[in-house]
Amino acid sequence: MNVLGIETTCDETAAAIVAPGEDGRGVIRSNEVLSQIAEHAAYGGVVPEIAARAHVEVLDRLIARALDRAGMALKDVDGIAVAAGPGLIGGVLVGLVTAKTLALVARKPLLAVNHLEAHALTARLTDGLAFPYLLLLASGGHTQLVAVKGVGDYVRLGGTIDDAIGEAFDKVAKLLGLAYPGGPEVERMAEAGDPERFALPRPMLGRRDANFSLSGLKTALRIEAERTAPLAERDVADLCAGFQAAVVDVVVDRVRVALRTFSGVAGHPTALVAAGGVSANGAIRRALAALAGEAGLAFVAPPLALCGDNGAMIAWAGIERLRLGMTDDITAPARARWPFADVPPAEAPRAEATAG
Ligand code: KG4
Ligand code: ZN
């Protein structure tokens, strides 16, 4: 079984071929990613119209290259998976219309995949992980703690009530004059910084629900930056280190709460899993690995190449769905918003859920 995966929901155009391996993991036969970062950099963020146009310009060639690298033609694949949302609607439409066209022409099953679900299932592609597991999904647009119980069976334990973690990294980077995307820049600067110099808050620490709030931390950092301006490189490094340390403390505390509520919703987890662009952050990975160790759990985070948006995760989510007969037809809609996890049932031992 070989599945083509197509990803165009944000600023990466991606196509990949993945097959199920014998050990429960996936075999990535090709994984082509073209980042549009250079096209958006001047604007300090992703411009939806530029993104959609850039996807149109390269997607057909990228799919051809993914097939080529895997040594295959379109007729050889067993399914065509595409991220049908959530994301920037122009880009989503480019991917979805392309996938529908290929599926019709080549008479292949179409798999309209939720982009977040694809991040959530990446730990099974890379590590063959069994259900259920606790997932921290943190990217530029989303921050959620989710009990992953099965394919299509996700319970949201908490999430951000304002900024996503990646968004906070990006905004802090912009404020400090660093490049976009901000996460890797802030992490790089933080390495040389003193995390103790600026006293920054740890929002939501100690709360009984597993929600996040990042906007107060971002504001506190802005006030410190304005007070210290003009900023020397040392100041920027210390601000980055302080911010990252605060985020790490918040993440550890929130995940700890989610681990406590997990059993009431899904039983005993097989692992703590991090996914999404933010899971590339070394400090966050180290802290989560330590927390998992404390709890006697394995910690699984994708290799860096699979943390950000990619086609392999879409293809894998397609395989998971195809194996269960969960295919889609030509009417599958493109969705700008598409929550993938339900809030838990009322009897779950936790405080109220907040949408975000
Ligand atoms: O999953 P992703 O590639 O795209 C979305 O679906 O959003 O995540 C991108 C986000 C950006 O906000 C970026 O700044 C953040 O992930 N990010 C990081 C790091 N690398 C990427 N945040 C913190 N530390 C990093 N090393
Ligand atoms: Zn993503």
Side-chain angles (χ1 to χ4, degrees):
M1 185 196 280
N2 289 286
V3 170
L4 165 66
I6 298 171
E7 159 61 40
T8 56
T9 63
C10 192
D11 59 347
E12 253 95 28
T13 318
I17 307 284
V18 178
E22 272 165 20
D23 54 1
R25 297 160 209 239
V27 178
I28 300 175
R29 302 211 189 280
S30 63
N31 190 21
E32 300 292 314
V33 183
L34 253 182
S35 173
Q36 307 174 354
I37 283 172
E39 282 157 85
H40 300 287
Y43 306 94
V46 179
V47 183
E49 289 77 8
I50 294 177
R53 178 174 295 250
H55 289 305
V56 174
E57 282 168 359
V58 299
L59 183 58
D60 54 351
R61 271 179 290 139
L62 206 68
I63 292 170
R65 204 157 83 197
L67 285 166
D68 201 45
R69 295 251 157 103
M72 282 177 198
L74 190 61
K75 67 172 170 42
D76 305 322
V77 307
D78 301 288
I80 298 174
V82 59
L88 302 173
I89 198 67
V92 174
L93 278 165
V94 171
L96 187 60
V97 170
T98 303
K100 284 179 178 176
T101 308
L102 295 177
L104 274 179
V105 168
R107 296 175 198 274
K108 304 290 180 186
L110 174 74
L111 302 135
V113 167
N114 182 307
H115 175 94
L116 302 173
E117 175 177 35
H119 276 301
L121 296 173
T122 298
R124 287 165 57 78
L125 159 66
T126 57
D127 291 73
L129 198 65
F131 299 121
Y133 51 85
L134 176 63
L135 167 75
L136 169 68
L137 175 56
S139 68
H142 300 272
T143 295
Q144 305 181 34
L145 282 157
V146 176
V148 179
K149 297 168 72 178
V151 178
D153 190 5
Y154 314 103
V155 180
R156 182 190 159 104
L157 303 176
T160 182
I161 59 168
D162 41 57
D163 291 353
I165 299 179
E167 183 182 359
F169 269 95
D170 293 337
K171 285 178 177 168
V172 161
K174 194 170 183 176
L175 190 104
L176 298 176
L178 302 172
Y180 175 85
E185 293 296 310
V186 170
E187 181 176 14
R188 189 174 53 78
M189 291 302 293
E191 269 163 37
D194 171 8
E196 316 249 293
R197 175 169 158 208
F198 296 100
L200 295 170
R202 268 70 173 155
M204 312 294 267
L205 213 70
R207 286 256 305 230
R208 287 187 58 223
D209 62 79
N211 289 327
F212 294 78
S213 168
L214 277 309
S215 74
L217 170 58
K218 182 190 64 195
T219 304
L221 182 128
R222 180 168 49 74
I223 291 167
E224 291 293 349
E226 283 167 2
R227 203 179 277 157
T228 314
L231 299 177
E233 181 149 335
R234 165 98 259 146
D235 302 319
V236 173
D238 292 345
L239 285 163
C240 287
F243 171 77
Q244 186 172 272
V247 171
V248 165
D249 285 352
V250 168
V251 165
V252 166
D253 182 70
R254 308 289 70 211
V255 172
R256 198 173 266 136
V257 170
L259 274 174
R260 277 204 292 270
T261 57
F262 188 96
S263 59
V265 171
H268 190 69
T270 57
L272 170 61
V273 173
V278 175
S279 63
N281 185 283
I284 294 176
R285 284 170 95 107
R286 285 190 293 278
L288 289 177
L291 175 62
E294 250 174 58
L297 295 175
F299 174 65
V300 178
L304 293 190
L306 297 179
C307 285
D309 294 343
N310 63 86
M313 69 178 191
I314 306 299
W316 175 258
I319 288 172
E320 296 257 33
R321 298 182 77 81
L322 186 57
R323 287 197 292 217
L324 297 169
M326 301 160 84
T327 59
D328 297 274
D329 66 23
I330 199 76
T331 64
R335 303 189 219 204
R337 291 179 56 81
W338 187 4
F340 85 116
D342 299 325
V343 292
E347 65 268 26
R350 60 179 297 282
E352 78 288 352
T354 314

